[in-house]
Amino acid sequence: MTTSPLDTAGFPVLGEWGVPPDDGAVPAARRRVAALVRAWGVPLSAEAAGEVELCAGELIANAVEHTRERCTVTVRWDGGLLRVEVADTRPSLPRAQRDPEATGGRGLLLVEALAQTWGWEGTRTGKVVWFTYPDGAHRRGPG
């Protein structure tokens, strides 16, 4: 018999791991977020799961690109709200690039558009950038 982590864990359910400072590690980390959400049985449509994976990939890519140091990904689910956090060592604020001529910086605009909320918090060693996404049973509005 297989036991689900939801059968033995109290909420919030938590997954956390380090991502090496290598652009090639970003797709695997993004897929790991998606696999964890599926393994937990978070009730998301295929579209919503894709949006969570995309947002996670943007935050992880930003951390890897801008620090060139290991970052930490934390995924939490409290039975209604999914929260993905990426901690890195760079204390500077993340900023969404609204200039249409810019060659980068639009990833946070995607996060802003797709996630329920997003933000950042300073830490002793850098910052944590996060977003939240409601599961399908708690999503407001269409979708």
Side-chain angles (χ1 to χ4, degrees), residues 97-119:
Q97 181 57 262
R98 298 185 191 286
D99 178 0
E101 301 300 316
T103 59
R106 289 192 208 89
L108 288 176
L109 291 177
L110 284 172
V111 174
E112 186 177 282
L114 298 174
Q116 181 180 41
T117 59
W118 79 277

Side-chain angles (χ1 to χ4, degrees), residues 53-130:
E53 186 176 354
L54 177 63
C55 289
E58 290 297 335
L59 297 190
I60 297 164
N62 282 348
V64 168
E65 178 183 341
H66 295 294
T67 68
R68 289 293 168 205
E69 295 182 25
R70 186 175 190 84
C71 66
T72 302
V73 177
T74 305
V75 184
R76 304 171 195 274
W77 181 46
D78 68 3
L81 192 66
L82 187 66
R83 179 176 166 117
V84 177
E85 305 170 355
V86 178
D88 68 45
T89 59
R90 189 171 185 194
S92 61
L93 308 177
R95 289 186 295 189
Q97 181 57 262
R98 298 185 191 286
D99 178 0
E101 301 300 316
T103 59
R106 289 192 208 89
L108 288 176
L109 291 177
L110 284 172
V111 174
E112 186 177 282
L114 298 174
Q116 181 180 41
T117 59
W118 79 277
W120 68 276
E121 298 155 13
T123 67
R124 285 185 300 113
T125 58
K127 70 177 171 305
V128 175
V129 183
W130 55 268

Side-chain angles (χ1 to χ4, degrees), residues 20-41:
D22 173 6
D23 293 335
V26 174
R30 183 187 71 232
R31 287 189 301 271
R32 187 169 178 182
V33 169
L36 192 59
V37 170
R38 280 192 309 276
W40 288 344

